[in-house]
Amino acid sequence: MKFVIIGGDAAGMSAASRARRNNPDLEVVVLEQTEDVSYSACGMPYNIADPFREIDDLVVRPAQVFREKQGIDLRTGHRVLSIDRSAKTIAGRKESGEEFQVDYDKLLIATGASPIMPDLPGFDLPGVLALKSLEHGRLIKAFISGGQVRVAVIIGMGYIALEMSEALRDLGIEVHMVKPRPDLLPWMHRDLAVMVQKELEENGVNLYLGHETKGVEQTARGLKADFEGVGFTCQMVLAAIGVTPNSKLAADAGLELGPGQSISINRTAQTSDTDIYAAGDCADAYHVVTEEKTWIPLALRANRSGYAAADNVTLIKTELPGVAGTAVFKLFDLQIARTGLTVKEAADFGFEPEEVCIEGRTRAFAHPGVSSMGVQIVGDKKSGRLLGMQIVARDGAAHRINAPAVALHNKMTVDEFSRTDMAYAPPFGPVWDPMLTAANQLLKKL
Amino acid sequence: MKFVIIGGDAAGMSAASRARRNNPDLEVVVLEQTEDVSYSACGMPYNIADPFREIDDLVVRPAQVFREKQGIDLRTGHRVLSIDRSAKTIAGRKESGEEFQVDYDKLLIATGASPIMPDLPGFDLPGVLALKSLEHGRLIKAFISGGQVRVAVIIGMGYIALEMSEALRDLGIEVHMVKPRPDLLPWMHRDLAVMVQKELEENGVNLYLGHETKGVEQTARGLKADFEGVGFTCQMVLAAIGVTPNSKLAADAGLELGPGQSISINRTAQTSDTDIYAAGDCADAYHVVTEEKTWIPLALRANRSGYAAADNVTLIKTELPGVAGTAVFKLFDLQIARTGLTVKEAADFGFEPEEVCIEGRTRAFAHPGVSSMGVQIVGDKKSGRLLGMQIVARDGAAHRINAPAVALHNKMTVDEFSRTDMAYAPPFGPVWDPMLTAANQLLKKL
């Protein structure tokens, strides 16, 4: 049997490795359009911040290991352009321009997601960059390393935009962040967003909220980035307004799509064609809170769905767990974490959400180094269920968030969660963990 | 109605405050044998380590606040000596020597636990100390502050002993720790115990395992602490071999006792006498994994059981949740956390335990500052259930442990736990959290 995988990043290479491990006789072909496979994409902002590290330090396993040690037929520089489902073949073009065709018994689409580039003048200029693939990282690093970037403009204020603001500040670059909508991190409780905004300002990041992008042009003095009501002369523009799933191949082949134009898959990672699987950032997922489809492209899910596809292809029946949308990022000295639904998402899915947002402490009463910890919690008035949590703090947010995530998988009520036995020692929090205090406060409103 | 509480520490004062809040007409009398109420006992080692802080900085709420703001009849210096259940009175003696008697409608015993002092010669000498109450802390702090302690011997190697080893080292004191049994932290997986032992040794703490205590004597050159095979001349001996519940009052009154001679209570914090409740370190609890009684004296449980007693006394029907034995402590640069059962405990309760212990990483692949994280996980071969976890690491152990704790409350299987959606960002761990990796490894053995 021949298992063909389109895309050699987290999901694709996880699937390839797992499939070969499950069945060493299986023919596994991976077609990757770039030359890079298996790298830590999330590590790029930190790598870019450090002039003494190479971007290729992020490569977890080089291509030849997959080829020689694992017997995977890994073909880089292969861009797939179409899928013929009736003939069970895919066709594409190599970097050299040569066309190719490959037949498959089972196919996995693991094409990932791409940064959205504004359809405006100047976004094809050199110095107007995005960050998603290792090649993007390489470009940014090369561009910065010359020392010619003194001022950078970041368009967008999501995870990647914010992580990149820190990386650029670490390099001594003046940073201006611009977005069209008026709210910083609109999914976040306003009290927590204020903590984040303060952290950015204290670290010299200039924020411009509510300014639509007009375009970028090359002038004698550098790039001129224009927005409604504000403009900057700079040497670099980073477009980080979001990502979109690479689902065109699938859509063109008539496969069903899900939320955000992601590829719709069932719990076995199968698309609407039983011989075609999809995994990673291009595919959708069930949400453990709503039990409905969602599209939350994150690394752990990419790995898991790759494994699940490989297991099912090799006849090890595996059901994918749902996602809770658990995520964390670091921003200067803050940890910003979330899991589950926001109030708005909860209302959209038919819950009757209530929330509280408390200011707790990172350490015990009278313990040195204590700082404040913001915890927002969402519950459902009708069922009492815990629906989501957000935590912002200088320490302890990143790993705390896994506790409510586990609670969401178990469909716990806020009351049940409030009665769980959590760890306490003075250097790590108060006797009543701020998550428990938040739950106790919310109970009064449910 | 008159609610009388014996003991003014965490459980007692939690109960007093909650009862008055629930029912402002309730007469609440608290009898506390010392002069100290409502302080952060767990903060004492950190306070002792810092010569610029007073031990009284740990007082959360002074006695007069309880008296004047909350209308609690708080009587310090009142030692209760007996309970007459048929007459519904308690009797005791004040610090002045004067005897007193108080009648009750509902009684709460919140007498806490006491350090076990070896019944050996010399343990009543000045300089031979223990640490449980604020008065103990005051004594130690006063004893150390003169600068005459150059060498200290700690007997025992539990949480308090270890935290105190750090405090004394921080003060530049030479520390020798001695225990009779051969294993450091016998409940811990040996690979993790090795990490702890290394941390102690690197911080200049001298360990002597497997040496029975013989006694202490005063010599011209200081205290002489003698053990089988080893002896030390020192200025201070800290006895930290464990604590025992203060249940004599209850036992003398004929109340049922539970594990470790703790006072047996049901889920409403009621003892075997329906008019008498018990809460805090003197009382037992149901374990969420075994559903059997256990005695794990910890601060959160003390608060919770105090609240539960007050709620039930004021006719707000409340059931106490079980405990998972979730605990954490800091030791120099290590965080040491556990929840649930050890392999031995699991076997004792009829499970068929399997464990793995893995070495994970605190940060992502190629991320600066990465260090190793030891994770042990226990599961049941028969049911597949998750039974316990232990984590040791330089960061991220303290709050990670709450995720498996929540899982234990939900009686999740190792498989279900391994499929939960946890947070990932390079500064905080690998894509697959070490807890998930440990669960995946254990699944192969179940």
Side-chain angles (χ1 to χ4, degrees):
Chain A
M1 199 176 70
K2 191 168 173 184
F3 180 31
V4 175
I5 299 168
I6 308 174
D9 204 343
M13 294 321 296
S14 295
S17 299
R18 174 71 73 107
R20 289 282 301 172
R21 200 158 52 242
N22 288 348
N23 179 359
D25 297 329
L26 187 72
E27 185 183 352
V28 177
V29 181
V30 179
L31 304 156
E32 164 58 40
Q33 61 180 348
T34 72
E35 293 302 320
D36 303 309
V37 293
S38 184
Y39 55 89
S40 172
C42 306
M44 288 195 290
Y46 305 96
N47 182 291
I48 289 166
D50 182 352
F52 299 103
R53 289 165 70 207
E54 300 290 326
I55 200 83
D56 286 273
D57 290 355
L58 294 170
V59 173
V60 179
R61 210 178 298 176
Q64 80 255 31
V65 173
F66 289 106
R67 292 189 185 116
E68 290 162 19
K69 295 261 165 69
Q70 296 184 255
I72 294 163
D73 181 355
L74 169 56
R75 307 178 191 172
T76 52
H78 279 60
R79 184 179 173 81
V80 176
L81 296 168
S82 65
I83 302 168
D84 182 338
R85 288 164 56 193
S86 53
K88 294 182 81 171
T89 58
I90 57 173
R93 193 176 293 120
K94 296 188 204 176
E95 247 171 328
S96 60
E98 194 188 335
E99 296 194 346
F100 68 86
Q101 188 172 310
V102 179
D103 60 318
Y104 66 83
D105 294 304
K106 299 286 175 186
L107 180 68
L108 172 64
I109 304 174
T111 44
S114 291
I116 298 168
M117 291 303 275
D119 186 18
L120 291 167
F123 277 83
D124 50 353
L125 285 168
V128 182
L129 304 160
L131 182 63
K132 180 77 176 72
S133 69
L134 198 63
E135 189 54 28
H136 289 133
R138 209 172 269 132
L139 268 173
I140 293 178
K141 211 157 161 110
F143 195 79
I144 288 171
S145 69
Q148 77 271 39
V149 179
R150 294 182 314 278
V151 181
V153 172
I154 300 175
I155 309 175
M157 299 189 194
Y159 295 177
I160 294 171
L162 292 167
E163 287 174 345
M164 279 302 296
S165 80
E166 180 180 348
L168 297 176
R169 289 300 296 144
D170 282 355
L171 292 166
I173 295 169
E174 183 179 318
V175 176
H176 302 278
M177 299 188 84
V178 194
K179 67 174 280 190
R181 286 190 292 175
D183 290 330
L184 175 65
L185 298 166
W187 51 267
M188 188 177 265
H189 190 281
R190 289 305 86 198
D191 294 356
L192 304 184
V194 165
M195 294 174 74
V196 177
Q197 181 153 354
K198 215 170 139 231
E199 186 72 10
L200 286 163
E201 287 165 357
E202 280 174 5
N203 285 283
V205 176
N206 305 292
L207 300 181
Y208 305 85
L209 297 148
H211 298 270
E212 287 281 354
T213 308
K214 288 166 72 179
V216 184
E217 55 182 320
Q218 184 73 59
T219 71
R221 294 170 53 226
L223 293 168
K224 194 164 171 302
D226 271 320
F227 304 87
E228 291 289 349
V230 69
F232 309 90
T233 297
C234 60
Q235 292 76 44
M236 174 179 154
V237 174
L238 183 75
I241 58 173
V243 293
T244 186
N246 294 325
S247 57
K248 189 172 178 302
L249 256 186
D252 288 349
L255 297 178
E256 235 169 65
L257 297 188
Q261 299 295 103
S262 58
I263 305 169
S264 181
I265 58 172
N266 66 16
R267 292 197 187 266
T268 68
Q270 217 168 34
T271 67
S272 52
D273 179 325
T274 52
D275 290 324
I276 305 181
Y277 292 77
D281 288 358
C282 64
D284 69 2
Y286 284 98
H287 198 290
V288 295
V289 178
T290 63
E291 298 288 348
E292 304 277 343
K293 284 298 189 75
T294 187
W295 182 62
I296 306 174
L298 288 170
L300 177 60
R301 169 71 185 189
N303 279 268
R304 269 192 176 133
S305 53
Y307 286 152
D311 283 347
N312 287 306
V313 162
T314 53
L315 306 178
I316 298 169
K317 192 124 186 66
T318 302
E319 294 235 320
L320 267 172
V323 297
T326 316
V328 64
F329 65 101
K330 175 181 168 297
L331 186 60
F332 298 99
D333 288 330
L334 279 189
Q335 302 183 359
I336 300 160
R338 67 172 289 188
T339 192
L341 305 182
T342 64
V343 166
K344 189 186 171 306
E345 288 167 341
D348 288 348
F349 279 96
F351 294 103
E352 208 177 298
E354 275 288 356
E355 70 176 328
V356 296
C357 187
I358 66 146
E359 187 185 340
R361 295 190 313 264
T362 55
R363 301 186 183 185
F365 175 80
H367 200 86
V370 64
S371 63
S372 75
M373 166 172 282
V375 180
Q376 177 255 24
I377 181 171
V378 186
D380 179 29
K381 250 182 129 65
K382 286 183 288 188
S383 63
R385 267 180 70 187
L386 176 69
L387 300 178
M389 197 178 284
Q390 300 171 3
I391 311 180
V392 177
R394 300 211 167 268
D395 56 73
H399 306 118
R400 266 191 177 85
I401 203 70
N402 293 327
V406 170
L408 294 179
H409 278 273
N410 288 286
K411 302 196 166 31
M412 283 181 106
T413 63
V414 176
D415 182 51
E416 287 164 347
F417 182 75
S418 78
R419 294 149 64 83
T420 55
D421 188 10
M422 292 194 181
Y424 161 64
F428 307 121
V431 176
W432 289 85
D433 192 278
M435 299 190 291
L436 297 176
T437 302
N440 286 334
Q441 293 297 321
L442 180 58
L443 279 176
K444 295 176 188 166
K445 292 177 79 177
L446 291 183
Chain B
M1 199 177 67
K2 191 169 173 183
F3 181 31
V4 175
I5 298 168
I6 309 174
D9 204 344
M13 295 320 296
S14 294
S17 299
R18 174 72 73 108
R20 288 284 301 172
R21 199 158 53 239
N22 288 349
N23 178 357
D25 297 328
L26 187 72
E27 186 183 352
V28 176
V29 181
V30 179
L31 304 156
E32 163 58 39
Q33 61 180 348
T34 73
E35 293 301 321
D36 302 309
V37 293
S38 184
Y39 56 88
S40 173
C42 306
M44 288 195 290
Y46 306 96
N47 183 290
I48 289 166
D50 182 352
F52 299 104
R53 290 166 68 208
E54 300 291 325
I55 200 83
D56 286 89
D57 290 354
L58 295 170
V59 173
V60 180
R61 210 178 297 175
Q64 79 256 31
V65 174
F66 289 106
R67 291 188 185 117
E68 290 162 19
K69 296 261 163 72
Q70 296 184 255
I72 294 163
D73 181 355
L74 169 58
R75 307 178 192 174
T76 53
H78 279 61
R79 183 179 174 83
V80 176
L81 296 169
S82 63
I83 302 168
D84 183 337
R85 287 165 56 193
S86 53
K88 294 182 81 171
T89 57
I90 57 173
R93 192 175 294 121
K94 298 186 202 176
E95 247 171 329
S96 61
E98 193 188 334
E99 297 194 344
F100 68 86
Q101 188 172 309
V102 180
D103 61 318
Y104 65 84
D105 295 303
K106 298 286 176 187
L107 181 67
L108 172 65
I109 305 175
T111 43
S114 291
I116 298 168
M117 292 303 274
D119 186 18
L120 291 167
F123 277 83
D124 51 353
L125 285 169
V128 181
L129 303 160
L131 182 63
K132 181 77 176 75
S133 69
L134 198 63
E135 190 54 29
H136 288 133
R138 210 172 268 132
L139 268 173
I140 293 178
K141 213 160 160 105
F143 195 79
I144 288 170
S145 69
Q148 77 272 38
V149 179
R150 292 182 316 279
V151 181
V153 172
I154 300 175
I155 309 175
M157 300 189 194
Y159 295 175
I160 294 172
L162 291 168
E163 287 175 345
M164 280 302 296
S165 79
E166 180 180 347
L168 297 176
R169 289 299 297 145
D170 282 356
L171 293 166
I173 294 169
E174 184 179 317
V175 175
H176 302 278
M177 301 189 82
V178 194
K179 67 173 281 191
R181 284 189 292 172
D183 290 331
L184 175 65
L185 298 166
W187 51 267
M188 189 177 264
H189 190 281
R190 287 305 87 197
D191 293 356
L192 304 184
V194 165
M195 292 174 75
V196 176
Q197 181 153 353
K198 214 171 139 230
E199 186 73 10
L200 286 163
E201 286 165 357
E202 280 173 5
N203 284 283
V205 176
N206 305 293
L207 301 182
Y208 306 85
L209 297 148
H211 298 270
E212 287 282 354
T213 309
K214 288 165 71 177
V216 184
E217 57 182 319
Q218 185 73 60
T219 71
R221 295 171 51 227
L223 293 168
K224 195 163 170 302
D226 272 320
F227 304 87
E228 292 290 349
V230 69
F232 309 90
T233 297
C234 59
Q235 293 78 43
M236 174 179 155
V237 174
L238 183 74
I241 58 173
V243 295
T244 186
N246 294 325
S247 59
K248 189 173 178 301
L249 257 185
D252 288 350
L255 298 178
E256 236 169 63
L257 297 188
Q261 299 296 100
S262 59
I263 305 170
S264 181
I265 58 173
N266 65 17
R267 292 197 188 266
T268 68
Q270 217 169 32
T271 67
S272 52
D273 180 324
T274 53
D275 290 325
I276 305 181
Y277 292 77
D281 288 358
C282 65
D284 67 3
Y286 285 98
H287 198 290
V288 295
V289 178
T290 64
E291 297 288 348
E292 304 277 342
K293 284 298 190 74
T294 187
W295 182 63
I296 306 175
L298 288 170
L300 177 60
R301 169 71 185 190
N303 279 268
R304 268 192 178 133
S305 54
Y307 285 152
D311 283 346
N312 287 307
V313 162
T314 53
L315 306 177
I316 298 169
K317 192 122 185 68
T318 302
E319 294 235 320
L320 266 171
V323 298
T326 316
V328 64
F329 66 101
K330 176 182 167 296
L331 185 61
F332 299 98
D333 288 330
L334 279 189
Q335 304 182 0
I336 299 160
R338 67 172 288 187
T339 191
L341 306 182
T342 64
V343 165
K344 189 186 170 305
E345 288 166 341
D348 288 349
F349 279 96
F351 294 102
E352 207 177 298
E354 274 289 355
E355 71 177 326
V356 296
C357 187
I358 64 146
E359 188 184 339
R361 296 191 312 265
T362 55
R363 302 187 183 184
F365 175 79
H367 200 86
V370 63
S371 62
S372 74
M373 164 170 285
V375 179
Q376 177 256 23
I377 182 170
V378 187
D380 179 28
K381 250 181 129 66
K382 285 185 289 187
S383 63
R385 267 179 70 188
L386 176 69
L387 300 177
M389 198 178 283
Q390 301 172 3
I391 311 180
V392 177
R394 300 211 168 269
D395 56 73
H399 305 118
R400 265 192 178 84
I401 203 69
N402 292 328
V406 170
L408 293 179
H409 278 272
N410 288 285
K411 303 196 167 28
M412 283 181 108
T413 63
V414 175
D415 182 50
E416 286 164 347
F417 182 76
S418 78
R419 293 149 63 84
T420 55
D421 189 10
M422 294 194 180
Y424 160 64
F428 308 122
V431 176
W432 289 86
D433 192 278
M435 300 190 292
L436 297 176
T437 302
N440 286 335
Q441 293 298 319
L442 180 59
L443 279 176
K444 296 176 187 165
K445 292 177 80 176
L446 292 183

